[in-house]
Amino acid sequence: MRLRSFAEAIREGLEQALADDPRVCVMGPGVPGPTGIFGTTRGLAERFGPERVMDMPSSEQAMTGFALGATLDGYRPVIVHMRVDFAVLAMDQMVNQVAKWHFMYGGRLRAPMVFRLIVGRGWGQGPQHSQSLQAWFAHVPGFKVAMPASPRDAKGMLVAAIRDDSPVVLVEHRWLYGITGDVPEELYETKLGEARVARPGRHATVAATSHMVIEALRAAERLAPLGIEVEVVDMRSLVPLDADTLCASVARTGHLVVADTGTIAFGAGAEIAAVATERAFAHLKKAPVRIGLPHFPSPTTPALADAFYPRAVDIERAVAGLVGLDPARLPVEEPPHGPWRDTPDPSFKGPY
Amino acid sequence: MGGPAPLPDLFASMLRIRRIEEAIAKRYPEGEMRCPVHFCIGQEAVPAAICAQLARTDRVFSGHRSHGHYLAKGGDLRAMLAELYGRETGCARGRGGSQHLIDLEAGFVASAPILAGTIPIAVGAALSATWRKSGSVSVVFFGDGATEEGAFHESMNFAAARRLPVLFVCENNAYSVHSAMEGRQPAGRRIADMAKAYAMASAHADGNDAAAVWNAGAIALDHVRKGNGPYLLEFDTYRWLEHCGPNPDDALGYRTPAEIDAWRRRCPIEKLRRDSVPGAAEERALEARIAAEIDAAFAAARAAPFPDPRDLGAFVHPARS
Ligand SMILES: Cc1ncc(C[n+]2csc(CCOP(=O)(O)OP(=O)(O)O)c2C)c(N)n1
């Protein structure tokens, strides 16, 4: 085991990709700065110089065009947005230009770009700093969209995204940055478009994205003593979506819970549930259940945020409902490690 | 309004902002104000000296670093602190936190952290003020970083084209988070000078000198109020604390100790003290009044109820009026 944090894994992936291919460059406000985007770009400017690890003005829209323009000379830019919410300012360039760049010029041009979008959560990130808009990008033809949930995938999918000739949106959840896992030292790719069975089980499938994979694994762990084996499928990519792995799991378990970090309504979870329903309808014993955010903006006060974000217990309740377990038998939820549930661990002290 | 700067009043306003910010910073590590907070310590002169020249009906907008603007415009302190504490009595009922302050009674319309996000909204408010012939002026505060957003330029263009009553106020503290100006904006070009390209009036002044801010603001507001169109003010100033949060960040190394030191010696409050604006006895009385107000506001905020989780879906859509 070579234990690294999710943030370290990203940093290592970037460093190795920069060393491997002189056409790779990283840009965004604060990218070469002293705190290095939560550590994920720390030290890279020192090693590769300010042209390849580039600070940017707060001009999200134009910056996207700058990066697209640089692809004409073969560069492979990685754009970093500290929050998904800031990429919203770049939507015109992203949606109207980048995503269609290859298509609308008959395949003559390509946009080998990566967009690292960080989902904020907790400590009052609030309505403009915590949106999880993966569904927006997945909805637009031309983007690939990936949501790694483990350090190994964070590195491998980043490298795969950099080497991909399509524009790839990587949605990184801030609450994953501190988790650790085995990360191989060498430069490697994790193929985009392949889901992963993160935990096998016979009774119900929980197809999860990003941080909800952690919650799903927690739920599976807590349901196991009750004799309920939950299979956790880490979807890893939304586009391409690995319908085969998803449907094979549903075929084994007959039940599906979809847990996504975004809004339920019109969300990524809706697509996953729809694909499973279309393709594996015969195997489903009951209608799939979706877990995600209610159709409300995210509140700042922890008093509301705690009720806003779904957790392992919500997944447990959904599974209990599907497999016919009396919810009274569900384990009691552990108390929060602080006064509220708005931090991933006690070391997380805001204000970011 | 206009006339010579009422320095004792400005001193009182600045000191009040400073003490409130210090009180928040002191209590922040208790972990009860669970939202990102961007302190304006060191930058008090601009909010105080501009807002002191505004009528209640003039409308103020701001960004992430908005406590000073809110307070100087007469925003309710209790409602602000309750907002930081996430309480139902907060100015945005806890939904927004430090970055979404509002006090419509005081004419502080909105602050929001998306850079430049409120700039076009201020222009729109100025546009509708001309439709209504209300005589109300829009004032929008933002940092140097926000001037890099397209929305800022589109706003200046339109406001100038329609001669709208809007005052753009840039507090240039030379950094966007940890990034210095170099590479973000052309060397040697003042932010105020951008106005020229839009045929808009502008001025640049020392943002740590309350009298200078007042004077520049008086000229600008007179211009805007007379219907001569928008005005861009740029003030040099400096943020003392970290970009976000209650601590100094000298150790990060993006600002030299000499620079930090030089700016601390240019404290806008200390400057008025040096100029003997407040008498010692008056200042003691002022300190006591401010301290009492702050204590009462904290006590009220901390005693206030949190929003009820059953109201999670409130305010997503307005009730039919
Ligand atoms: C659209 C957008 N991009 C990026 C950010 C992240 N961000 C928050 S504050 C800030 C720096 C702003 O600098 P400036 O406008 O000079 O204001 P200051 O913080 O110095 O007061 C940045 C980049 C944001 N809030 N919104």
Side-chain angles (χ1 to χ4, degrees):
Chain A
M1 284 279 261
R2 184 171 171 274
L3 281 187
R4 292 292 181 274
S5 74
F6 194 92
E8 287 164 346
I10 292 171
R11 207 206 76 90
E12 187 169 273
L14 278 176
E15 181 162 32
Q16 292 177 357
L18 281 158
D20 177 62
D21 184 345
R23 301 170 305 169
V24 176
C25 52
V26 189
M27 56 178 78
V31 160
T35 49
I37 317 287
F38 309 118
T40 60
T41 59
R42 196 175 287 147
L44 298 180
E46 287 72 9
R47 174 161 175 206
F48 298 101
E51 275 191 9
R52 296 188 61 204
V53 182
M54 203 185 320
D55 208 357
M56 276 283 158
S58 295
S59 312
E60 289 80 3
Q61 176 82 284
M63 169 174 80
T64 309
F66 306 156
L68 179 57
T71 65
L72 294 173
D73 284 324
Y75 289 97
R76 308 181 76 84
V78 178
I79 284 182
V80 189
H81 291 288
M82 292 273 283
R83 291 289 184 287
V84 175
D85 316 63
F86 307 159
V88 169
L89 278 72
M91 283 309 262
D92 166 52
Q93 285 286 325
M94 289 185 75
V95 172
N96 287 327
Q97 309 291 356
V98 172
K100 305 162 174 55
W101 198 238
H102 189 57
F103 177 83
M104 65 191 175
Y105 299 106
R108 291 198 162 78
L109 296 168
R110 43 190 76 191
M113 301 165 71
V114 178
F115 297 86
R116 287 186 49 209
L117 271 44
I118 300 168
V119 181
R121 175 176 166 185
W123 204 276
Q125 293 297 302
Q128 295 186 343
H129 277 62
S130 58
Q131 295 174 87
S132 196
L133 301 174
Q134 56 271 19
W136 286 24
F137 301 98
H139 186 69
V140 176
F143 285 123
K144 294 184 179 176
V145 181
M147 301 182 76
S150 67
R152 176 192 283 263
D153 288 344
K155 177 176 171 182
M157 296 181 100
L158 172 65
V159 172
I162 289 171
R163 291 176 171 176
D164 201 297
D165 275 353
S166 286
V168 181
V169 176
L170 284 175
V171 179
E172 303 167 6
H173 199 288
R174 179 71 181 85
W175 277 22
L176 293 170
Y177 273 30
I179 67 161
T180 53
D182 186 27
V183 177
E185 187 165 6
E186 70 275 8
L187 180 63
Y188 63 93
E189 288 182 42
T190 304
K191 195 164 173 246
L192 303 176
E194 279 184 1
R196 166 183 78 104
V197 176
R199 177 183 172 121
R202 291 179 299 149
H203 300 122
T205 298
V206 178
T209 62
S210 187
H211 185 259
M212 289 311 282
V213 173
I214 307 296
E215 298 290 348
L217 289 170
R218 236 172 242 158
E221 191 70 42
R222 281 156 49 83
L223 286 170
L226 299 175
I228 296 171
E229 293 176 27
V230 170
E231 178 148 299
V232 178
V233 178
D234 174 359
M235 293 307 299
R236 298 203 286 191
S237 288
L238 295 181
V239 182
L241 189 73
D242 183 357
D244 292 346
T245 300
L246 172 70
C247 293
S249 176
V250 170
R252 279 193 294 277
T253 65
H255 289 296
L256 176 63
V257 174
V258 184
D260 177 45
T261 58
T263 305
I264 295 173
F266 306 93
E271 179 65 18
I272 294 167
V275 164
T277 308
E278 282 172 353
R279 295 244 208 135
F281 189 68
H283 297 285
L284 282 166
K285 297 175 194 146
K286 284 188 183 156
V289 178
R290 284 178 287 160
I291 288 177
L293 304 178
H295 211 180
F296 314 147
S298 97
T300 299
T301 175
L304 295 177
D306 275 11
F308 179 74
Y309 287 101
R311 308 188 285 273
V313 282
D314 302 286
I315 296 172
E316 290 157 25
R317 272 182 221 123
V319 170
L322 287 177
V323 302
L325 176 79
D326 178 2
R329 290 188 56 212
L330 287 173
V332 186
E333 186 176 24
E334 288 137 35
H337 53 69
W340 302 99
R341 296 186 191 274
D342 65 343
T343 57
D345 61 75
S347 72
F348 194 95
K349 272 277 182 275
Y352 281 119
Chain B
M1 278 168 265
L7 292 178
D9 294 346
L10 299 186
F11 180 83
S13 173
M14 287 157 62
L15 188 71
R16 179 170 174 267
I17 295 170
R18 171 75 55 94
R19 293 294 179 253
I20 291 167
E21 290 286 71
E22 286 170 348
I24 296 168
K26 181 155 169 261
R27 282 189 173 272
Y28 195 80
E30 293 170 0
E32 290 182 26
M33 288 176 264
R34 297 172 90 82
C35 59
V37 173
H38 302 78
F39 292 85
C40 70
I41 293 179
Q43 303 187 197
E44 298 90 345
V46 175
I50 296 295
C51 291
Q53 304 188 62
L54 301 178
R56 205 176 51 81
T57 46
D58 291 329
R59 295 185 282 203
V60 166
F61 301 79
S62 180
H64 54 289
R65 200 174 304 287
S66 64
H67 293 182
H69 311 128
Y70 172 94
L71 292 167
K73 187 66 178 32
D76 185 82
L77 174 61
R78 289 181 183 222
M80 176 180 126
L81 290 183
E83 189 59 32
L84 269 59
Y85 276 94
R87 309 300 165 118
E88 185 67 29
T89 54
C91 58
R93 298 193 171 98
R95 272 68 176 179
S98 163
Q99 305 193 94
H100 295 279
L101 299 182
I102 174 167
D103 189 334
L104 292 173
E105 286 291 302
F108 185 91
V109 180
S111 64
I114 290 294
L115 288 179
T118 55
I119 297 176
I121 303 169
V123 171
L127 176 66
S128 65
T130 63
W131 290 342
R132 258 191 334 128
K133 301 190 170 46
S134 68
S136 162
V137 165
S138 280
V139 179
V140 58
F141 293 95
F142 47 88
D144 44 283
T147 68
E148 294 151 9
E149 295 286 0
F152 169 65
H153 295 271
E154 295 171 30
S155 296
M156 293 218 293
N157 176 64
F158 182 75
R162 303 291 176 95
R163 295 167 76 89
L164 297 178
V166 51
L167 175 59
F168 299 96
V169 184
C170 179
E171 290 174 25
N172 182 352
N173 62 15
Y175 291 88
S176 175
V177 192
H178 308 134
S179 300
M181 278 292 203
E182 191 194 348
R184 292 197 286 127
Q185 300 192 17
R189 192 275 326 263
R190 286 218 159 281
I191 285 170
D193 289 344
M194 290 195 237
K196 287 184 191 149
Y198 300 99
M200 189 197 300
S202 70
H204 163 260
D206 180 354
N208 282 19
D209 177 346
V213 176
W214 173 276
N215 293 335
I219 293 167
L221 284 163
D222 185 58
H223 171 100
V224 172
R225 288 212 165 93
K226 283 188 172 140
N228 295 325
Y231 203 104
L232 171 63
L233 284 174
E234 176 192 6
F235 294 111
D236 288 327
T237 185
Y238 204 73
R239 148 172 73 73
W240 286 15
L241 299 180
E242 58 192 330
H243 167 68
C244 180
N247 304 304
D249 67 355
D250 307 12
L252 281 181
Y254 68 101
R255 312 192 286 189
T256 65
E259 180 184 294
I260 296 170
D261 204 50
W263 276 97
R264 276 180 176 269
R265 273 187 273 112
R266 296 194 49 215
C267 169
I269 293 174
E270 201 47 48
K271 174 171 171 47
L272 291 191
R273 248 189 224 122
R274 271 201 311 275
D275 297 346
S276 315
V277 167
E282 288 147 48
E283 190 174 345
R284 268 198 306 280
L286 179 62
E287 288 276 21
R289 263 203 319 279
I290 293 172
E293 185 199 5
I294 292 174
D295 284 349
F298 269 99
R302 301 179 76 215
F306 283 104
D308 186 333
R310 283 171 303 189
D311 291 336
L312 199 54
F315 315 121
V316 178
H317 296 286
R320 199 160 178 153
S321 52

